[in-house]
Structure formats: C-alpha cells, structure tokens
Amino acid sequence: MKPRAQAAHGRSFGRMAGLYDEVRPRYPDAAINLVSRGWNDLDVCDLGAGTGILSTALLDRGANVIAIDPDDMSLANNPARSLVGSAEDTGLPESCVDVVTVAQAWHWFDEAAAAAEIARILRPGGHLIILINQLDVRIDWVLRLSRIMHAGDVHRPAYCPRPAGFDLVDHDLVEFTTPLTVAGIVDLARTRSYWLRSNQRTRTRVESNLREFFSLEHPVDGELELPYMCLAYGLKFDG
C-alpha cells in the first residue's frame, strides 16, 4: 500500500470507535510490563493510541499518559489526556516522556520518521515498547478464520522491529485468549481495515463466509475462546 493510502486507512478506525473498543482484545500484563514493572508516575506517550485500550491500562497503573493519534474520533473515546498528531509529528516538546508505547499501530508508521520523532520526545535512557496483538495462526482453525477475515497484518513470531537509534533489550511472545461469540467475531471483522475499505457486497460476502465457517467447519455453542498471541518488544533509546 502506498504511504498516503496507508496513512488514510490508519485514520479510518474512528468510524467504528465504540465497536473497536468493545471487541478488540486487551494487552496481557506480561507484555505491558516487559520493560517497566512500575508505571506509577512515569510520563508516557501512547502513540497511535486510538480508542485507548492500552492508554486505559497504563492509567490504571498510575502512569501520566498523553495519547497521540491522527484520528480525533478515536481519541474521543480515549480516557487519557490527548492530542491530535502523528507518529512522525507528535506536536510534543523535546525530551518530555520516559516511555513511548505503540500498540497495534507500528505498521501504520513511516518507520524512519517515527523513530526520529520518538527519539526526539524521549528523555535520555527512555524506552520504546511495541505491542502487537494478532490471531494465533499457528492453530489451523484460527489460520482459516484469519483468511476469511482477511487479517493480513500477521507477523511471524520471529519478526522484530529495528528502528534506528534504539537497542532491543527484551522481547516476548505472550499467548492468551479472549471470549467472543460468533456475532462478536463478525463485529471483530468489521473493525479491520480490509472491511472498512471494502464495498457492501464484499462485506456481505465476508460475513456470510464467517457465519458458514462457524456453522459447518468449526461449530460454536455460545462463546469460544479466541486464541491470540501478543508480540512484545522493549527497546532502549541509545541517545
């Protein structure tokens, strides 16, 4: 996808902000605490913060959070202090935060420009934490589900972001599940970028294929536990 089109799609989630917040999974404690086990009073920039799934968890841990996102409709749902901005131009002053967190957003960024901006706003010795929740496609039926949903943003477990100016100090793969009904999984599909940029005919086909899958191939009675993995990376600013 061309950078301009990619940026536009990254701003499209606000149209589904309430649903996104309802059906998208939370981040496991082991991933959030990868670098810092004590968040109390840390100054944190949650970059690409969206509706605030991670922002909320950081606030609950006592962090001072500023949420940055280009989508003001998503930020309207975010409980943290917020500012409309981008990963490449946050609008924040230099050396103002201890930690920058990026949850479910790194793939929307211009990596080189974002790395330079993150380095600018971090204090010396500060950390960057990148979290990626994705369906655990190592499981056969989940792989099939991801293909029906067109969940194409799935990284291999060996994937590792390498932004310039940062050293990887820790990483982890955290397995977890989240409970959803079939209707909830259809709603989950509705929050994905493929759905948001598709026409009604395509959306109807995807929903029909999902319901058929859970009716015939993987029958479900009530809720199921949807398997996920969280790829978590802790990086230290070497400036």
Side-chain angles (χ1 to χ4, degrees), residues 18-233:
L19 188 62
Y20 187 104
D21 198 53
E22 179 182 341
V23 299
R24 287 288 182 122
R26 274 45 190 166
Y27 297 93
D29 287 344
I32 295 174
N33 296 329
L34 187 67
V35 168
S36 177
R37 299 191 179 276
W39 288 91
N40 197 47
D41 290 333
L42 285 181
D43 295 322
V44 180
C45 171
D46 190 12
L47 194 53
T51 63
I53 292 175
L54 181 59
S55 300
T56 300
L58 297 174
L59 289 170
D60 289 345
R61 287 165 170 77
N64 305 312
V65 182
I66 175 72
I68 305 290
D69 199 279
D71 187 340
D72 58 345
M73 289 188 291
S74 289
L75 286 178
N77 278 41
N78 194 310
R81 183 168 55 97
S82 64
L83 179 67
V84 174
S86 68
E88 300 78 15
D89 183 10
T90 62
L92 295 175
E94 292 184 10
S95 303
C96 65
V97 294
D98 303 301
V99 181
V100 172
T101 57
V102 180
Q104 223 64 20
W106 188 254
H107 60 292
W108 295 115
F109 299 168
D110 177 322
E111 184 170 307
E117 177 68 354
I118 293 167
R120 187 186 69 81
I121 65 174
L122 272 174
R123 293 173 180 139
H127 287 88
L128 166 64
I129 297 178
I130 299 173
L131 303 179
I132 305 170
N133 276 346
Q134 60 186 39
L135 294 171
D136 192 345
V137 296
R138 298 171 300 178
I139 301 168
D140 287 344
W141 73 265
V142 182
L143 175 61
R144 171 73 176 133
L145 172 63
S146 74
R147 289 174 173 169
I148 296 171
M149 292 174 64
H150 293 263
D153 53 343
V154 175
H155 298 284
R156 295 181 182 277
Y159 165 76
C160 186
R162 298 283 185 181
F166 291 84
D167 297 320
L168 184 70
V169 294
D170 205 355
H171 64 94
D172 201 0
L173 187 157
V174 184
E175 299 173 345
F176 68 103
T177 64
T178 189
L180 282 176
T181 62
V182 172
I185 291 175
V186 172
D187 283 341
L188 181 64
R190 291 188 175 112
T191 70
R192 303 198 66 85
S193 59
Y194 177 81
W195 180 287
L196 293 172
R197 65 177 185 262
S198 295
N199 59 33
Q200 187 55 51
R201 181 178 180 181
T202 299
R203 293 174 179 180
T204 300
R205 174 176 53 79
V206 170
E207 179 172 352
S208 176
N209 288 344
L210 283 171
R211 294 189 182 279
E212 182 176 325
F213 173 73
F214 286 111
S215 173
L216 301 177
E217 295 184 46
H218 193 79
V220 172
D221 182 16
E223 284 187 338
L224 59 78
E225 291 291 330
L226 185 58
Y228 275 91
M229 64 174 83
C230 181
L231 306 181
Y233 310 92

